Amino acid sequence: DWSDGYRIVCNTIVNNRDLLRHLKPHIVVAGDAAYHFDINLHAAAFRRDLARALDEHDMLFVTRDLYGPLLGVHHPDIRRKTILAEAGVGAHFDITQRLVYHQWPQGNILNALLLPLASALADEIVLLGFDGRAPNDSGFWRNAAASTYDAFKPAIKAAHPAFFAIDFNAYAQAHSDNAETLMQAGEAMGKRYTCLNDSYIPAFRQRRAARA
């Protein structure tokens, strides 16, 4: 039961209609050029389902301002419910002044928008579903099949092979380090972060909720 707070979800969860109906999110976020705004089949499927989700649910889409003109031309139905965030660095939680898409050396939607938005809207932030990268995972990490487009992922690799030519373990560590930086900044302001599931992300593992 998530009815006592703001609910923020991300990315290809728009493919999971049952989960969206259960969560009834206020905000969905995304911001990856290759996965969400490219001309490949994966990105096209995401935008199709994003448009449907925005039509079916009373929620807003938040993304980086870079994509505003493209959405306005090709997806005016999405653009009408879109809030654009400007690129910035550091921990910025005051959205009454400006909404920032946080840029990190190795970026991810968690640290770019999810944590900053949650930290701007509430003092108690509860996280669920951020499993991280298991030791036997290939690529970035595994995703739930019902909330992604596995059949279309090879199209991204074919279009952008250099995007995947990285050290994935180093990426996962940077991902955790950036989350730690954001959460420490929030905690210094009196905010509290709790992770409800077991996670391979060190920053979340140490904030794991006590088991009943």
Side-chain angles (χ1 to χ4, degrees), residues 93 115 118-119 123-127 182-187 191-195 207-208:
F93 301 153
L115 274 176
S119 300
D123 289 333
E124 181 178 357
I125 296 94
V126 178
L127 304 117
L182 282 168
M183 289 189 289
Q184 284 188 9
E187 287 163 348
K191 300 181 184 296
R192 186 162 68 93
Y193 300 86
T194 303
C195 183
R207 294 171 174 85
R208 174 74 163 93

Side-chain angles (χ1 to χ4, degrees), residues 24-66:
K24 297 180 177 62
H26 298 97
I27 300 171
V28 58
V29 302
D32 189 277
Y35 279 78
H36 307 130
F37 296 97
D38 198 51
I39 60 171
N40 64 67
L41 294 173
H42 185 283
F46 164 75
R47 295 192 300 271
R48 176 201 66 207
D49 289 343
L50 173 63
R52 183 192 65 205
L54 291 173
D55 181 60
E56 293 178 350
H57 299 275
D58 184 20
M59 66 180 182
L60 297 170
F61 176 48
V62 180
T63 189
R64 57 188 304 185
D65 56 6
L66 177 67

